[in-house]
Amino acid sequence: MHALYLVIPTLCVMAIAYRYYSAFIAAKVMVLDDTRKTPAHTKYDGSNYYPTSRWVLFGHHFAAIAGSGPLIGPVLAAQFGWAPGFLWLLAGVVLAGAVHDSVTLWASTRRGGRSLAEIARSEIGSVAGITAVIAVLFILIVALAGLGIVVVNALAESAWGMFTISMTIPIAFFMGFHMFVWRKGQVKEATVIGVVLMLLAVVFGKNVAESSIAPWFILTKHQITAALAVYAFVASVIPMWMLLTPRGYLSTYMKIGTILLLVVGVAVANPTLEAPAFSQFIGGGGPVIAGPLFPFVFVTIACGAVSGFHALISSGTTPKMVDVETDIRPVGYLGMLFEGLVGVMALIAAASLHPGDYFAINVADPTVFAALNIPMVNVEQLGREVGENVIGRSGGAVSLALGMAQIFANIPGMKALLSYWYHFAIMFEALFILTTIDSGTRVGRFLLQEAGGRVWKQWGDTNWMPSALISTGLMVLGWGYFIWTGSITTIWPLFGVANQLLASVALAVGTTIIINLGRQKYAWVTLTPLVFLATTTLTAGYMSIRDNFWPLTLRADPALRIQGYVDSIATAIMMVCAIVIFASAIRRWIKVLSGKSPALELAEA
């Protein structure tokens, strides 16, 4: 099986979906109207509420939503073979993920940029609103931990990778001041300078790794976790234009450019998919994901098909920067389609590795790998060529980078640049993750401030520094704890369940809005993916507690026991909150559809 047989259908289906299905949703479900003033204009403050041009906002939004999920989820799901992941990525992104993102962005933009929890309270009821706050906070913390641990594993003990990623921060600061202060409006000029500087950071990273200052950039996993926490804290309290917007915009060029380059590389090299269509682990017992294909392929792939985390961005930073309503369609729907394309390309990169090499990289315990009795083919040689130890580097990031590097290196004239391609891919992955973590932390800060503002009005002022600092600190401590104490095998299943439950909650809120507005004949647009996601995710949550988390509480190691209790309780809380919200939403639907409660034509006021 050659990769082009997956790439060409993917591009065709996505193009048709954007041209026709997203246009239908924009015209009939959301009824986008450019004569309405958006919150970026009505609440303009120069910091959080800031009208932003369509493609710069697309860059910020895509950078914020495209974390490690679309990269790592498909790579881990390749354990089941390439076919299950591919089918879900393509169907999920068109019918669920892109719908979820655009409807949530529309709902928040129409409601002053309010958060998902606040929208749930106003549209469904106070019980759902309070429950949504609890659920979103739990889910957001777990999601950020799931995203963060990938970059920690990828950059640990790598001076080249750490230097390159570190340089993106001052580059983003420079771009922010260049675009918004020194040369206001000169976006193209800042873009060219930023992209060139970022590529130079990759090239000179090798020199740094071979120099006397290399030890400065060789950090342990705990040191990287601490550095990540400091970065996210600072990024979430300073003005958006200073770091988040330019970093997101810059990284989007790298992200989309790299994916398109990967598409070209696949077209030229047309690699063979070494992974089988369906592996021997579809019934469970795999060394990467222990559970069976159903339901774990859905919660493992997560973001590439549909992601609840996107609802937090679509009701967090992005709606506060929408210039006109018709921008919602390309930012929300098209942005998610690109993330689906990222997922498909990540799956192809992983599936192009020989199964023995794939498992040698992604199974941390050598005894577990030996028991598979699947021989390595060329992973040791690849490790020597890229200058890194790649065996036992679980988490998906390293195997993805190697798969991408192999595809790029097979382009004529590129073979000698394998090590550069590998580290470029590592930077590419880390950029995905960091731009999600900083935006996610800021969204969490807004949510805590919004919730606290109902008790103390001053606390709800997003520009009041004491509230901003404390709320941000609480968020960072929350996700930092899970990264500090967990591993990819425990955090990723927890992340997958949390992420898909949040997507289900957002779809339930979206369905309620559509019904409240009297547009119930279009409710199937969000209701269909909601039913599917709720079923698969609640099943996966129950199985995760039963088979993965609760058994840890029986271990002799006290740290593992605590982790087992925390993971089990967190999953149970998220599931209960989701069920409460679903029940409240159904109750609201019945009232409106039965005529006991009128449709709210002014719900968008």
Side-chain angles (χ1 to χ4, degrees):
M1 179 71 175
H2 288 280
L4 274 179
Y5 290 111
L6 302 187
V7 174
I8 293 175
T10 297
L11 295 176
C12 291
V13 169
M14 289 182 175
I16 293 170
Y18 182 70
R19 173 62 182 85
Y20 295 104
Y21 193 44
S22 72
F24 162 74
I25 294 172
K28 299 297 184 179
V29 179
M30 298 186 290
V31 193
L32 300 181
D33 180 4
D34 281 353
T35 63
R36 286 177 175 266
K37 285 191 174 182
T38 62
H41 294 280
T42 60
K43 295 186 176 183
Y44 175 82
D45 62 7
S47 178
N48 297 309
Y49 292 86
Y50 197 101
T52 306
S53 64
R54 173 180 296 189
W55 296 116
V56 172
L57 181 59
F58 177 92
H60 160 77
H61 181 77
F62 181 75
I65 65 171
S68 59
L71 295 171
I72 305 307
V75 172
L76 299 179
Q79 169 194 272
F80 299 116
W82 60 261
F86 173 71
L87 294 173
W88 172 234
L89 281 166
L90 196 52
V93 73
V94 168
L95 301 175
V99 173
H100 165 279
D101 288 17
S102 50
V103 168
T104 304
L105 179 56
W106 159 70
S108 182
T109 302
R110 284 279 176 95
R111 288 155 184 77
R114 284 189 289 172
S115 71
L116 180 65
E118 279 295 296
I119 297 172
R121 183 191 63 78
S122 63
E123 297 290 333
I124 301 177
S126 58
V127 173
I130 295 171
T131 307
V133 170
I134 298 170
V136 169
L137 280 173
F138 265 94
I139 292 169
L140 179 57
I141 288 170
V142 170
L144 292 176
L147 299 172
I149 197 167
V150 176
V151 74
V152 168
N153 287 346
L155 294 179
E157 312 296 340
S158 175
W160 189 341
M162 196 66 202
F163 168 79
T164 300
I165 291 302
S166 299
M167 290 301 100
T168 64
I169 299 173
I171 292 171
F173 269 116
F174 166 80
M175 286 188 65
F177 279 93
H178 191 94
M179 287 192 296
F180 296 105
V181 180
W182 303 327
R183 303 263 300 164
K184 193 170 184 178
Q186 296 298 316
V187 176
K188 292 181 180 178
E189 191 176 281
T191 300
V192 172
I193 297 172
V195 170
V196 170
L197 289 175
M198 188 171 289
L199 292 176
L200 289 175
V202 176
V203 173
F204 286 103
K206 183 177 183 180
N207 300 92
V208 170
E210 295 172 350
S211 70
S212 59
I213 64 172
W216 298 358
F217 297 96
I218 298 177
L219 305 181
T220 65
K221 292 181 180 180
H222 281 170
Q223 288 172 328
I224 294 175
T225 301
L228 189 62
V230 171
Y231 163 75
F233 183 90
V234 173
S236 80
V237 296
I238 62 177
M240 289 282 297
W241 63 265
M242 195 177 292
L243 179 59
L244 260 68
T245 299
R247 183 185 174 89
Y249 176 65
L250 175 62
S251 65
T252 295
Y253 272 88
M254 301 301 294
K255 292 173 180 181
I256 295 178
T258 301
I259 288 301
L260 294 179
L261 182 60
L262 189 56
V263 171
V264 173
V266 168
V268 174
N270 196 15
T272 300
L273 301 182
E274 302 292 346
F278 297 91
S279 76
Q280 69 267 40
F281 300 115
I282 59 174
V288 178
I289 302 296
L293 186 150
F294 180 88
F296 284 97
V297 72
F298 303 106
V299 297
T300 299
I301 284 181
C303 304
V306 56
S307 172
F309 179 81
H310 298 186
L312 304 182
I313 305 301
S314 294
S315 65
T317 55
T318 303
K320 297 174 176 64
M321 297 188 287
V322 173
D323 187 22
V324 292
E325 281 199 353
T326 51
D327 290 350
I328 291 172
R329 183 185 170 205
V331 172
Y333 199 96
L334 184 61
M336 183 57 203
L337 288 184
F338 266 101
E339 178 149 347
L341 179 61
V342 171
V344 171
M345 300 312 298
L347 179 65
I348 289 172
S352 67
L353 294 172
H354 290 278
D357 295 344
Y358 168 84
F359 286 114
I361 298 167
N362 285 291
V363 178
D365 188 339
T367 59
V368 174
F369 172 71
L372 296 176
N373 198 28
I374 304 176
M376 293 185 290
V377 178
N378 56 12
V379 66
E380 293 175 317
Q381 176 64 27
L382 286 172
R384 287 191 292 270
E385 290 180 4
V386 302
E388 301 279 0
N389 174 29
V390 298
I391 295 177
R393 297 289 291 272
S394 61
V398 171
S399 54
L400 172 59
L402 274 179
M404 291 175 61
Q406 277 194 124
I407 292 172
F408 289 140
N410 284 329
I411 298 174
M414 295 290 182
K415 186 66 176 177
L417 301 177
L418 182 65
S419 62
Y420 287 97
W421 282 123
Y422 171 81
H423 287 92
F424 177 83
I426 288 291
M427 180 199 71
F428 163 77
E429 295 174 52
L431 278 176
F432 262 83
I433 298 163
L434 293 181
T435 50
T436 303
I437 288 177
D438 52 28
S439 296
T441 302
R442 195 179 191 96
V443 169
R445 164 202 152 187
F446 288 155
L447 180 62
L448 284 173
Q449 289 182 283
E450 193 175 71
R454 294 198 162 275
V455 179
W456 179 20
K457 188 175 181 180
Q458 178 78 43
W459 188 269
D461 181 359
T462 56
N463 293 317
W464 190 49
M465 195 53 65
S467 171
L469 293 175
I470 295 172
S471 298
T472 303
L474 291 173
M475 286 301 303
V476 169
L477 287 174
W479 58 255
Y481 164 79
F482 280 101
I483 298 178
W484 191 276
T485 60
S487 66
I488 193 69
T489 55
T490 56
I491 288 182
W492 198 264
L494 184 64
F495 161 73
V497 170
N499 193 48
Q500 301 299 280
L501 279 178
L502 183 54
S504 302
V505 168
L507 287 168
V509 173
T511 304
T512 305
I513 292 172
I514 294 170
I515 292 174
N516 281 346
L517 290 171
R519 301 173 192 164
Q520 48 263 36
K521 66 179 180 179
Y522 301 119
W524 59 268
V525 170
T526 51
L527 182 59
T528 303
L530 164 60
V531 172
F532 182 82
L533 278 181
T535 301
T536 56
T537 309
L538 290 173
T539 303
Y542 166 73
M543 293 176 67
S544 292
I545 294 174
R546 184 191 67 187
D547 302 331
N548 297 336
F549 304 146
W550 194 253
L552 293 177
T553 66
L554 307 177
R555 298 287 188 89
D557 186 345
L560 286 178
R561 290 204 302 270
I562 293 174
Q563 185 180 342
Y565 283 118
V566 170
D567 290 353
S568 297
I569 293 170
T571 303
I573 289 174
M574 291 186 294
M575 291 173 65
V576 169
C577 287
I579 291 170
V580 169
I581 294 170
F582 297 156
S584 299
I586 292 170
R587 182 170 175 266
R588 173 66 187 166
W589 304 344
I590 293 172
K591 281 187 173 183
V592 174
L593 295 176
S594 65
K596 294 181 180 179
S597 182
L600 304 177
E601 289 295 343
L602 298 178
E604 297 171 312

